[in-house]
Amino acid sequence: MTHMVLEVKESLEERCNQILRNMEASLTARDRVGIQDFVLLDPHTSESAFLDNLRKRFHENLIYTYIGTLLVSVNPYKELDIYSKKQMDTYMGVNFFELPPHIYALADNVFRTMQSEFNNHFILISGESGAGKTEASKKILQFYAVSCPSTKLLNNVRDRLLLSNPVLEAFGNAKTLKNDNSSRFGKYMDIQFDHQGGAVGGHILSYLLEKSRVVHQNHGERNFHIFYQLVEGGEEDLLRWLGLERNCKNYRYLVQGDCAKVSSINDKSDWKTVRKALSVIEFSESDTEHLFGIIASVLHLGNIKFDVDARGYATLNNNQEICWGFLIRLKPKQRSPFSVDHAVYARDALAKAIYGRTFNWLVNKINESLANKDSSRKTVIGLLDIYGFEVFSVNSFEQFCINYCNEKLQQLFIELTLKSEQEEYEMEGIEWEPVPYFNNKIICDLVEEKFRGIISLLDEECLRPGEATDITFLEKMEEKIGGHPHFVTHKLGDQKTRKTLDRGDFRLLHYAGEVTYCSDLLDYYSFPVIFKVMRQSKNAIIKHCFPSTEPDSKRRPETVVTQFKSSLVGLTEILMSKEPWYVRCIKPNEAKQPGHFNDVLVRHQVKYLGLMEHLRVRRAGFAYRRKYEIFLQRYKPLCPDTWPNWKGTAAEGVQLLIKHLGYKPDEYKMGRTKIFIRHPRTLFATEDAFQVCKHKLATRIQAKYKGFRVKEDYLKQREAATKIENCWRGLMARKEREKRAWAVKVIKKFIKGFMTRNEPACIDNSEYLAYVRQNYLTRLKENLPKTVLQKDSWLTPPPIMQEVAQLLKKIYIRHMVRKYVRGITPQRKAQVKSTFTCHLCLLFLFFSDLCVRPPQYSVPVVKYDRNGFRPRLRQLIFTQQAAYLVEEAKIKQRIDYSSLRGVSVSNLSDNFLILHVTCDDINKKGDLVLQCDYLFEALTKLSIIVNNQNCIKVVQGSVRFDIQPGREGFVDFKSGQESMVYRAKNGHLMVVTTQCGEMLL
């Protein structure tokens, strides 16, 4: 019962705490800094108000803000204590808007929606380089690693998913001017979950690796991390085998940015992480050896220098050639005649081709490790970490591809957002109001339209006969798309435009602003002879990356931009088949400084990320929409009809609630499953009322809870009292029952003993006869004769006590009559009566023993304590078996004759005797020191009873006696003028007597 009470108590306390937490979690979050959801921002069309709210929250380290279910994240450029295991537990299984905005809230909501609806989802993470996209992706992966079910198999998959990140970062990330760990490739990762929510597999797609970084870096930037990790952290044996030195400055491909060392990057530590990750992802020793051999070969390749021979062809140093050729196991004599310029270009093209294809092999190898072998249906959550819109002073081919990708994703973003909003309105039966927004389809068509787009013109220019150059490509674009409103060149522009545009450049007006590109978008291909050489390599990875089925010189492959367009179309199809969720990352400043908020920079990112368009779409007529159940659960205390429990449907309850609150018809709409509130001020007024109400509600809950606690204590005490009372009554009842049973038994025995009283002693009459003896002795004690002559006044004894009564008469008469004295003093008479009374007490206590062995002798004595020698009046009684020292009715000591070692007396008339007894136990009493007025009589009786006349020893001067084992005392005897007994200074008992002292017999 107590256990059940405690469980109810704990359950109630937890429920009360949960209610209080829910009340504190304000949907509008106006008790915090700024607005947590931009949908509730008023005015929602003001870009300045948007920035003010973002800035206000950023300065309070509140880096996350919602736009509906879209999450806006501002990079704080410092560590914040908001990513602990405790934070993860807080956001698991909680309503999306119940707690402050967080990336864990979005990740948990995606996961729970996937489980409940059993469909596929993806999270699009976008933003500029340095905005925190890669970190956001890591946090989501870490959340799923903790929140998903755990088994040995699932943990293995989880570890591979997590450790794929440091490997891909090492080979695909680099230090740039904007970010020390910038992803230089686009990544889409699918995480596969089983029906129980366990992560069982994954798949990664990569897009447009920045291969140009392998051979060239701007000042202040680095090559990919893996090169520096290998040189700085590689083991000595490995570097020796690879022919590398532990100095990045010795390699041309690593020093162009003059930034080999970065304070925020620990290459040695990262190298250990990568090595461990490769082993967990199940890279074999052979794979790892070939992989590092390729990385080293790229470094050696960058150090090759060319000279001109007599025929104008390029020549190279054999040692260098053999070194990098050995690592990828090439035959060193295979080469093709190039000019020096062509040779340098071919060298760099080969380095880029080797690294780019090796990176693709690495991604495929990781996918093999993450592949789920189970063919049953799985649900998927995709993570898309894609490049942000980039604008530099010089924008080349790669910036063109990146910005084209952002145009496509922006188009997809608007389409999916509008589509989801329109579907929600239609599903709820609410009239859809068209939302004006910039449709960037016109820009996407400019780039990708068949036969007329920039990509088609680029392919055509590369395939036409003759030599294609940047100028011919620019002229063709001016001819085909010269009239497009979003395309302009120096030739097509007005006088003002020509001042800002070089003759070899062209400008595109993207949705995020104008970007000027160099016209060097022609994708030069590696010479066919190079690919033939690479096919001869004995390195397993190189052979796989340059297969024999590679298109030869007779047929040119697709350009890189066409391949990128095709992969982008495939990515779009993947995303269109899943439910979208968005994380928009913003960097607050270019200097990576904590606490600094650059309004111009942030405003530009807000524009090209399409946040205002998304907000306008979300606010398409209604600022707030919630399911009836959620709205009613939160605000039902505001209406007496709905509080505390509403029995009807949630929609009916909400209708009563808003009627009580006084909502006007134009302020809300009732959908099929949701309520739509048009203006934020309406919700704010409702929230204000709730904030006032919740304090009263908390007081009532507190009062109820206190009442419950008091009642609980009362019930507990009453239960305890009832239990004690029941136990006490049970105990008393058992005692009464036992008492009655005992009484019945005693009465039965008494009756049976009475009926057999005249028979010989047996079990049936033993207790009755004992009672008869006890009763007789008790009455005799109170009715002794006053004089010797009153013989007839002696109580008539029962038959069982005839012999005992005769013995008692003799003893009484013997003590009443003195043989050697004519008269008796009053003191002696009292002493005789006292002695006889003592005999009667002993008979009363030991009547069963006395019937067989009655007392032989009794005499009053003075007993001296062993410690301190204090005198005490006692009665000494001799029976046939033992001597007893008695005080009234109490036996103080029993001395068995078998333990009596002897008796000591002095040669003086002091009446002292010392009984020596055997004492082996420290808990037993020692020898007895006694003074007896009838010493001769007592000694004579003792010697007769024990049948040993030699036990009495007469001593002179002093007697030693045992107080207890190991401890002794002494009695000293001497003559003096006056008889006295006292304790001497030496601790002995001193007995002084006169020579003429009278001895009474």
Side-chain angles (χ1 to χ4, degrees):
M1 177 67 72
T2 304
H3 181 66
M4 293 176 63
V5 170
L6 290 175
E7 286 185 346
V8 172
K9 172 184 172 184
E10 292 173 358
S11 176
L12 183 59
E13 288 180 348
E14 178 61 28
R15 183 57 185 160
C16 289
N17 291 335
Q18 183 65 37
I19 291 173
L20 292 174
R21 285 197 298 268
N22 291 345
M23 289 193 298
E24 291 297 328
S26 171
L27 289 178
T28 60
R30 290 180 296 144
D31 56 328
R32 302 181 185 277
V33 179
I35 302 297
Q36 291 188 163
D37 192 343
F38 279 112
V39 172
L40 299 176
L41 186 65
D42 204 3
H44 69 279
T45 57
S46 171
E47 195 174 83
S48 297
F50 190 98
L51 289 175
D52 287 343
N53 187 60
L54 208 61
R55 184 191 314 106
K56 191 183 300 182
R57 293 178 61 77
F58 172 76
H59 286 311
E60 295 296 328
N61 293 326
L62 300 174
I63 64 172
Y64 295 117
T65 312
Y66 292 138
I67 305 178
T69 57
L70 180 146
L71 181 68
V72 180
S73 171
V74 184
N75 193 340
Y77 289 122
K78 62 182 178 182
E79 294 291 332
L80 297 178
D81 187 23
I82 58 174
Y83 302 108
S84 63
K85 173 65 166 57
K86 183 179 180 181
Q87 288 283 337
M88 293 184 185
D89 293 338
T90 301
Y91 279 90
M92 286 182 193
V94 179
N95 184 279
F96 187 62
F97 295 101
E98 185 174 335
L99 295 175
H102 202 290
I103 197 165
Y104 291 159
L106 182 128
D108 180 71
N109 204 38
V110 175
F111 180 75
R112 289 190 292 113
T113 305
M114 175 202 70
Q115 279 192 299
S116 61
E117 300 178 0
F118 205 67
N119 55 358
N120 299 326
H121 297 255
F122 77 90
I123 303 174
L124 173 59
I125 306 173
S126 59
E128 277 196 18
S129 178
K133 301 187 299 297
T134 302
E135 285 300 314
S137 178
K138 287 182 184 177
K139 300 305 180 188
I140 293 174
L141 274 177
Q142 290 168 0
F143 179 82
Y144 289 148
V146 172
S147 62
C148 291
S150 177
T151 65
K152 185 175 181 180
L153 176 61
L154 296 180
N155 290 344
N156 192 17
V157 174
R158 177 199 64 191
D159 293 342
R160 293 178 186 178
L161 283 169
L162 291 175
L163 290 176
S164 65
N165 257 334
V167 175
L168 291 176
E169 286 184 7
F171 285 85
N173 288 22
K175 194 270 181 191
T176 66
L177 293 174
K178 298 182 177 181
N179 184 6
D180 290 349
N181 189 33
S182 176
S183 296
R184 306 316 300 162
F185 70 105
K187 181 180 70 174
Y188 175 78
M189 172 185 283
D190 267 339
I191 310 171
Q192 299 172 348
F193 298 89
D194 60 15
H195 67 283
Q196 294 181 334
V200 294
H203 187 79
I204 299 172
L205 296 176
S206 64
Y207 301 94
L208 192 65
L209 178 71
E210 190 185 25
K211 293 180 290 187
S212 62
R213 183 168 295 273
V214 175
V215 299
H216 175 72
Q217 307 93 42
N218 294 323
H219 185 75
E221 296 189 349
R222 296 207 315 176
N223 207 327
F224 292 103
H225 293 323
I226 188 61
F227 294 109
Y228 304 93
Q229 292 173 4
L230 175 60
V231 173
E232 295 291 340
E235 297 79 7
E236 293 293 340
D237 293 343
L238 178 63
L239 294 181
R240 191 180 303 111
W241 179 76
L242 296 175
L244 297 177
E245 299 176 2
R246 199 179 296 281
N247 189 349
C248 294
K249 295 181 179 180
N250 294 341
Y251 303 99
R252 179 177 175 275
Y253 284 164
L254 303 184
V255 296
Q256 297 180 53
D258 195 22
C259 189
K261 298 284 187 180
V262 181
S263 60
S264 63
I265 299 175
N266 189 333
D267 292 311
K268 291 183 180 180
S269 175
D270 293 343
W271 167 258
K272 294 179 182 178
T273 302
V274 170
R275 290 282 280 181
K276 178 182 177 182
L278 289 174
S279 63
V280 172
I281 302 174
E282 294 185 340
F283 275 62
S284 66
E285 287 296 329
S286 176
D287 290 336
T288 305
E289 176 185 317
H290 291 156
L291 181 62
F292 294 148
I294 293 172
I295 300 303
S297 71
V298 172
L299 292 179
H300 288 297
L301 193 60
N303 284 353
I304 293 178
K305 297 180 180 179
F306 299 97
D307 297 324
V308 182
D309 64 6
R311 294 180 296 175
Y313 295 140
T315 61
L316 52 83
N317 184 283
N318 288 336
N319 292 334
Q320 292 174 328
E321 176 192 17
I322 291 173
C323 187
W324 75 264
F326 166 74
L327 291 173
I328 57 176
R329 299 185 181 179
L330 289 175
K331 295 180 181 180
K333 294 186 178 180
Q334 292 184 345
R335 64 169 74 93
S336 202
F338 295 136
S339 66
V340 172
D341 292 339
H342 281 171
V344 170
Y345 179 82
R347 177 199 66 191
D348 292 346
L350 179 59
K352 291 190 290 184
I354 290 174
Y355 192 85
R357 296 195 179 203
T358 301
F359 183 80
N360 292 335
W361 173 87
L362 181 69
V363 173
N364 293 333
K365 188 70 177 177
I366 293 175
N367 285 334
E368 291 177 9
S369 174
L370 299 178
N372 175 33
K373 306 301 188 295
D374 188 358
S375 60
S376 59
R377 184 187 172 191
K378 301 293 183 294
T379 50
V380 168
I381 294 178
L383 289 178
L384 180 60
D385 178 5
I386 206 70
Y387 348 80
F389 193 85
E390 292 186 350
V391 182
F392 297 102
S393 56
V394 177
N395 301 285
S396 59
F397 168 75
E398 283 161 342
Q399 275 66 50
F400 174 79
C401 292
I402 288 172
N403 292 341
Y404 162 56
C405 175
N406 275 270
E407 287 285 356
K408 289 294 292 182
L409 292 177
Q410 174 68 10
Q411 183 185 25
L412 175 67
F413 169 65
I414 293 296
E415 287 179 0
L416 290 176
T417 304
L418 288 173
K419 177 185 175 184
S420 62
E421 285 294 305
Q422 186 171 359
E423 286 177 351
E424 181 179 22
Y425 276 70
E426 291 176 354
M427 182 174 62
E428 294 293 329
I430 305 295
E431 184 179 353
W432 170 257
E433 298 179 7
V435 180
Y437 68 95
F438 173 69
N439 190 345
N440 65 334
K441 183 177 183 300
I442 185 174
I443 304 175
C444 293
D445 289 343
L446 171 64
V447 176
E448 65 185 11
E449 187 178 8
K450 199 171 185 179
F451 305 121
R452 290 182 53 84
I454 294 176
I455 293 177
S456 294
L457 296 178
L458 182 59
D459 285 344
E460 182 181 338
E461 187 66 12
C462 290
L463 294 173
R464 73 175 179 82
E467 185 178 357
T469 64
D470 299 335
I471 300 300
T472 59
F473 172 56
L474 186 61
E475 291 173 350
K476 183 173 285 293
M477 286 195 296
E478 290 173 340
E479 177 186 349
K480 297 292 185 180
I481 58 176
H484 198 283
H486 290 266
F487 174 82
V488 65
T489 65
H490 185 276
K491 178 180 178 181
L492 300 175
D494 55 23
Q495 186 175 1
K496 183 179 179 181
T497 303
R498 291 177 180 176
K499 293 180 180 180
T500 59
L501 198 61
D502 293 340
R503 294 184 181 274
D505 296 342
F506 66 94
R507 182 174 296 163
L508 296 183
L509 181 58
H510 290 280
Y511 77 96
E514 295 180 347
V515 182
T516 301
Y517 298 99
C518 301
S519 58
D520 59 346
L521 301 187
L522 295 177
D523 184 41
Y524 295 101
Y525 303 101
S526 299
F527 300 95
V529 67
I530 294 178
F531 292 99
K532 290 181 180 179
V533 170
M534 299 309 295
R535 290 172 191 150
Q536 303 303 316
S537 173
K538 301 301 181 182
N539 185 296
I541 299 177
I542 293 295
K543 290 186 68 174
H544 183 274
C545 293
F546 294 89
S548 58
T549 57
E550 187 86 26
D552 53 25
S553 58
K554 297 179 181 178
R555 182 179 178 182
R556 288 196 175 190
E558 291 180 329
T559 60
V560 173
V561 71
T562 302
Q563 295 174 6
F564 181 65
K565 173 188 172 183
S566 301
S567 62
L568 203 55
V569 171
L571 175 63
T572 304
E573 293 174 354
I574 292 174
L575 300 183
M576 288 294 287
S577 65
K578 296 178 173 62
E579 296 295 324
W581 302 77
Y582 305 100
V583 178
R584 293 287 191 258
C585 299
I586 294 176
K587 63 177 183 180
N589 60 79
E590 292 283 9
K592 295 177 279 190
Q593 293 181 353
H596 180 58
F597 192 90
N598 188 318
D599 284 18
V600 176
L601 179 63
V602 174
R603 186 186 299 270
H604 175 69
Q605 294 173 82
V606 168
K607 181 178 180 181
Y608 79 68
L609 288 173
L611 299 184
M612 296 304 296
E613 285 86 351
H614 185 78
L615 177 56
R616 284 197 293 270
V617 170
R618 288 287 302 174
R619 281 289 298 269
F622 297 95
Y624 176 90
R625 77 280 314 260
R626 283 291 180 275
K627 287 186 177 294
Y628 291 135
E629 293 81 5
I630 298 176
F631 187 85
L632 181 63
Q633 178 65 28
R634 180 170 182 80
Y635 295 115
K636 66 180 181 179
L638 299 177
C639 176
D641 296 331
T642 57
W643 176 258
N645 295 310
W646 171 249
K647 302 299 183 182
T649 65
E652 293 171 347
V654 171
Q655 189 70 55
L656 275 176
L657 177 59
I658 60 178
K659 182 179 179 181
H660 179 78
L661 294 174
Y663 280 21
K664 296 179 181 179
D666 62 340
E667 292 181 338
Y668 72 97
K669 290 287 184 183
M670 299 287 288
R672 293 187 177 91
T673 63
K674 296 180 181 179
I675 179 174
F676 291 77
I677 299 177
R678 189 176 299 277
H679 304 297
R681 61 176 178 270
T682 305
L683 182 64
F684 290 161
T686 306
E687 186 66 23
D688 287 338
F690 176 68
Q691 294 299 322
V692 174
C693 176
K694 76 176 183 180
H695 295 291
K696 298 179 180 178
L697 181 63
T699 303
R700 291 176 61 186
I701 293 175
Q702 187 180 45
K704 290 288 185 183
Y705 180 68
K706 286 182 177 179
F708 167 79
R709 291 295 299 271
V710 172
K711 182 178 180 180
E712 180 190 12
D713 292 340
Y714 164 73
L715 292 175
K716 191 175 180 181
Q717 292 174 5
R718 188 178 72 175
E719 180 187 7
T722 303
K723 284 185 176 180
I724 294 172
E725 188 178 36
N726 290 338
C727 291
W728 177 253
R729 286 179 177 176
L731 178 62
M732 291 295 102
R734 286 191 296 274
K735 284 187 175 182
E736 183 66 24
R737 184 174 66 250
E738 293 171 358
K739 186 176 180 181
R740 289 175 180 273
W742 175 82
V744 170
K745 185 177 179 181
V746 169
I747 292 172
K748 288 174 67 177
K749 280 190 174 183
F750 187 85
I751 294 172
K752 198 169 184 179
F754 177 77
M755 295 173 66
T756 59
R757 65 186 181 280
N758 296 323
E759 297 178 4
C762 61
I763 297 176
D764 293 338
N765 60 12
S766 60
E767 291 188 12
Y768 177 78
L769 296 178
Y771 167 74
V772 170
R773 289 192 295 268
Q774 178 183 350
N775 184 52
Y776 173 74
L777 292 174
T778 303
R779 288 186 296 112
L780 181 62
K781 175 184 175 183
E782 302 297 332
N783 296 279
L784 290 173
K786 302 298 183 181
T787 65
V788 178
L789 300 177
Q790 295 177 344
K791 298 181 179 180
D792 298 334
S793 63
W794 194 272
L795 290 178
T796 302
I800 192 68
M801 295 294 290
Q802 290 291 339
E803 295 181 3
V804 174
Q806 293 298 325
L807 178 63
L808 288 175
K809 283 183 180 182
K810 292 179 180 180
I811 294 173
Y812 185 73
I813 293 172
R814 186 176 59 185
H815 283 80
M816 290 289 288
V817 179
R818 296 189 57 183
K819 295 180 180 180
Y820 304 106
V821 181
R822 294 179 179 178
I824 183 167
T825 64
Q827 293 82 2
R828 177 58 179 167
K829 182 178 180 181
Q831 189 181 45
V832 169
K833 185 174 182 180
S834 173
T835 303
F836 187 73
T837 301
C838 184
H839 278 292
L840 289 178
C841 292
L842 288 174
L843 289 172
F844 178 77
L845 292 172
F846 302 101
F847 61 87
S848 60
D849 181 58
L850 293 175
C851 291
V852 181
R853 292 178 292 274
Q856 301 296 313
Y857 180 76
S858 174
V859 64
V861 297
V862 176
K863 181 253 184 183
Y864 289 88
D865 290 346
R866 299 170 187 84
N867 296 307
F869 302 115
R870 289 185 61 186
R872 301 182 187 276
L873 293 176
R874 296 288 186 268
Q875 195 75 22
L876 181 64
I877 299 173
F878 296 146
T879 67
Q880 197 65 33
Q881 297 294 326
Y884 293 89
L885 194 65
V886 179
E887 179 186 10
E888 295 183 353
K890 297 180 182 178
I891 296 176
K892 304 301 289 185
Q893 189 170 350
R894 183 178 188 270
I895 302 101
D896 291 330
Y897 295 140
S898 60
S899 64
L900 183 64
R901 293 188 289 113
V903 180
S904 297
V905 295
S906 72
N907 60 344
L908 302 176
S909 58
D910 47 47
N911 295 333
F912 267 80
L913 72 158
I914 294 91
L915 300 181
H916 300 281
V917 297
T918 302
C919 184
D920 297 329
D921 190 349
I922 193 171
N923 294 322
K924 292 184 179 180
K925 298 181 179 179
D927 298 344
L928 285 172
V929 180
L930 305 174
Q931 186 178 18
C932 178
D933 291 340
Y934 305 96
L935 179 63
F936 293 152
E937 182 180 291
L939 292 176
T940 302
K941 288 292 184 180
L942 179 61
S943 62
I944 293 173
I945 292 173
V946 299
N947 194 21
N948 185 2
Q949 286 76 24
N950 297 322
C951 65
I952 301 172
K953 181 181 179 182
V954 179
V955 298
Q956 183 177 0
S958 179
V959 177
R960 187 192 68 81
F961 68 95
D962 292 336
I963 298 175
Q964 62 185 46
R967 189 178 172 197
E968 60 184 14
F970 293 89
V971 180
D972 297 336
F973 302 97
K974 71 176 183 177
S975 300
Q977 298 296 324
E978 183 180 358
S979 297
M980 64 180 67
V981 179
Y982 62 93
R983 183 178 182 180
K985 292 182 179 181
N986 60 0
H988 297 182
L989 178 63
M990 178 60 68
V991 180
V992 182
T993 183
T994 60
Q995 290 293 342
C996 60
E998 180 184 2
M999 182 178 298
L1000 298 178
L1001 298 178

